[in-house]
Amino acid sequence: MPLFNIVHIVIILSIPLCAYLFAKWTEKSSTKNRLIAKTLGAIIGGNELIWYSYVINKSWVSFPYGLPLDLCDIVLWLTVYTLLTFKQWSFNLIYYWGIAGTSMAVITPDFASSFPSYISIKFLFAHGCVVMAILFLVWSKSIRPDTGSWWKSLLWLNLYASIIGIYNFIFKTNYFYLCYKPASATLLDYLGPWPLYIFIGELIAIGLFYLLYLPFRKIRY
């Protein structure tokens, strides 16, 4: 799918719009809020389980390849968990990892299939729903990032990336794109060659995490 054509732009704009409409509809009703959260959790989780069934049936999963170890995979299941439980620790992670990371997958999608196809539609739907769910939780004031959450989330991100880096080294995989960039056009193309794009990406993550924290830094908990 050509980046930023009319279809892509509509998809991008529909994500915050749906989150805003859900937030407005539930702002005076905790019952509606919980209903929307649990429904989103069921949809996101159910959609991913269908995808797992599909890729296993296609024999696309063969250890050590094809495992749900990328950041977006982790964010997705943490988002499902947060929607069902409203746990603060998991929300802190998905707020920063999802808004700064998963949203980039919607803006510059990387799927090995033409659009429209099941693979491409599933990719955009899954990533878009995760971002929408996170925005809904924030805008409905259901839960917010707490004090110091930005740097703690950054530390956890680097710890997980380090573990994945070791996994990549041992099994010659490329989770997190730590070894080379994706074949399709992404924002990584503007960050220089390997390993420079990793270090620049780290600096960008620091800046984005802190900017995402700024609206909540003076809120008392």
Side-chain angles (χ1 to χ4, degrees):
M1 180 177 67
L3 294 182
F4 307 116
N5 65 3
I6 185 63
V7 174
H8 190 202
I9 291 174
V10 168
I11 292 171
I12 292 173
L13 294 179
S14 67
I15 293 170
L17 176 61
C18 289
Y20 174 77
L21 293 176
F22 282 140
K24 290 296 291 182
W25 185 58
T26 64
E27 63 181 351
K28 296 181 180 180
S29 173
S30 60
T31 301
K32 289 181 180 179
N33 183 276
R34 296 282 173 163
L35 176 62
I36 290 295
K38 293 183 184 300
T39 301
L40 285 175
I43 291 173
I44 295 170
N47 180 60
E48 198 67 7
L49 291 176
I50 293 172
W51 168 250
Y52 289 166
S53 175
Y54 179 82
V55 297
I56 291 173
N57 184 60
K58 291 285 187 179
S59 300
W60 291 349
V61 177
S62 178
F63 183 87
Y65 305 100
L67 302 179
L69 299 178
D70 280 315
L71 181 62
C72 289
D73 297 306
I74 304 303
V75 171
L76 185 146
W77 286 112
L78 283 174
T79 300
V80 171
Y81 177 77
T82 305
L83 289 167
L84 299 179
T85 66
F86 284 70
K87 293 294 185 181
Q88 184 68 55
W89 70 267
S90 59
F91 174 77
N92 287 340
L93 296 179
I94 67 170
Y95 174 69
Y96 297 101
W97 296 7
I99 300 300
T102 304
S103 62
M104 295 300 104
V106 178
I107 296 172
T108 56
D110 173 33
F111 41 74
S113 177
S114 59
F115 182 89
S117 65
Y118 170 63
I119 296 174
S120 60
I121 292 173
K122 181 271 167 189
F123 181 97
L124 292 169
F125 181 79
H127 289 76
C129 281
V130 166
V131 176
M132 180 183 66
I134 297 169
L135 292 175
F136 162 71
L137 289 172
V138 175
W139 291 345
S140 64
K141 299 180 181 179
S142 303
I143 189 168
R144 295 170 172 175
D146 60 9
T147 304
S149 56
W150 76 273
W151 63 265
K152 294 176 184 176
S153 297
L154 185 68
L155 286 178
W156 281 110
L157 176 61
N158 279 275
L159 175 61
Y160 183 67
S162 299
I163 295 172
I164 293 299
I166 295 171
Y167 183 96
N168 285 338
F169 178 77
I170 294 173
F171 297 107
K172 310 304 179 185
T173 51
N174 188 38
Y175 295 104
F176 259 54
Y177 301 124
L178 292 176
C179 301
Y180 52 86
K181 302 175 186 178
S184 60
T186 68
L187 295 178
L188 295 179
D189 294 333
Y190 300 96
L191 305 185
W194 185 92
L196 181 61
Y197 72 82
I198 296 175
F199 296 109
I200 295 179
E202 174 75 9
L203 295 176
I204 292 174
I206 293 172
L208 287 176
F209 279 31
Y210 184 68
L211 287 175
L212 288 169
Y213 176 66
L214 285 180
F216 305 98
R217 71 188 188 283
K218 293 183 179 180
I219 295 178
R220 296 183 179 274
Y221 295 90

